Amino acid sequence: MLRSQMKKNLQTVVIALGGNAISAPGEEGNIQQQFEHTSQTAAVLCDAIQRGHRVVITHGNGPQVGNVLRRVEIASSELYPLPLEVCVADTQGAMGYMVSQCLMNALRQRGMDRDVTTVVTTVLVDPDDPAFAQPTKPIGMAMYKDLAESHRVNDGWTITKVGENQYRRIVPSPQPQQILELSTICRLVADDELVICCGGGGIPVIQDESGQYRGAAAVIDKDHTSALLAGRLEAQTLVILTAVEHVYVNFAKPDQKAVEHLTVDQARAYLDEGQFAAGSMKPKIEAAINFVTNSDQPEAVAIIADLNKLTEALDGTSGTRITRR
């Protein structure tokens, strides 16, 4: 994206919402509960917007897409099935609706009458990505062995054991290569519109030899897509919001230690040590490294922080900051 397209007096911040922004652990996660949590999250986002940041929002969809897949499974004897990428699209639209409505309501309560636009976003992935040969991302409900084996045989699912007589489907999680609606997102952001995009990491698509796009049965990590988006928007800051205030080394051990600042080299060293769990903190650290390393902004910073301490994280008094040096 060209700098001339952006209003230089505003700092662009891409904010990646974690699962706790919409669904809390231990709850059913019904629509009423999702709206309640999203309303709380919207108030936090308003604080950043009121401070003059140009905010672009992304979000995960783990619990939601799992529930959509479960509905598809239950209804399979009555209705046609939905492929995984369509389920991702469905959750993008529904969750974007929730976030945009709650954010518009929160802004109006503060005297700011602004539209919020959700862009249903497709993301190109490489059909030769090794992830397609080695699925790793758990999705959907846990199952007993007999049901898991039935899905493996009849539906071609890849299954992994996750506990005592508990199994889950795992799907590929390829790296995002290109955000297909990027030019539209850039125009909206340049006009200082509030944008929600790349929900659930984006709808994964591949391109065939004739140039045609088609969906891929995969899920893309939303933090990696958020890092790609932040770089393409020439954002100064990527904020990855989660349920902990800091990144920790020796997490959940007696010598656990919060880390407030990491250089890219230090973050890579901790990755090499195996400090960060796959499917949890590891992709966040990887995304932060990718954004900072590839950014054209000399002072680019990635922040991993607690959802409820967003403004403190932006002020530098909370969260873990990852910088070049």
Side-chain angles (χ1 to χ4, degrees), residues 41-85:
T41 296
V44 174
L45 294 172
C46 279
D47 292 337
I49 294 166
Q50 280 190 305
R51 288 176 172 231
H53 296 291
R54 179 194 280 113
V55 170
V56 182
I57 302 161
T58 69
H59 62 82
N61 70 342
Q64 290 80 13
V65 76
N67 287 335
V68 172
L69 286 167
R70 179 60 177 153
R71 288 191 181 93
V72 170
E73 184 181 349
I74 293 170
S76 61
S77 63
E78 297 288 335
L79 296 170
Y80 55 87
L82 299 177
L84 177 55
E85 65 272 19

Side-chain angles (χ1 to χ4, degrees), residues 188-207:
L188 291 166
V189 174
D191 287 339
D192 198 26
E193 299 289 346
L194 289 168
V195 179
I196 302 161
C197 60
C198 299
I203 305 161
V205 297
I206 60 175
Q207 192 172 25

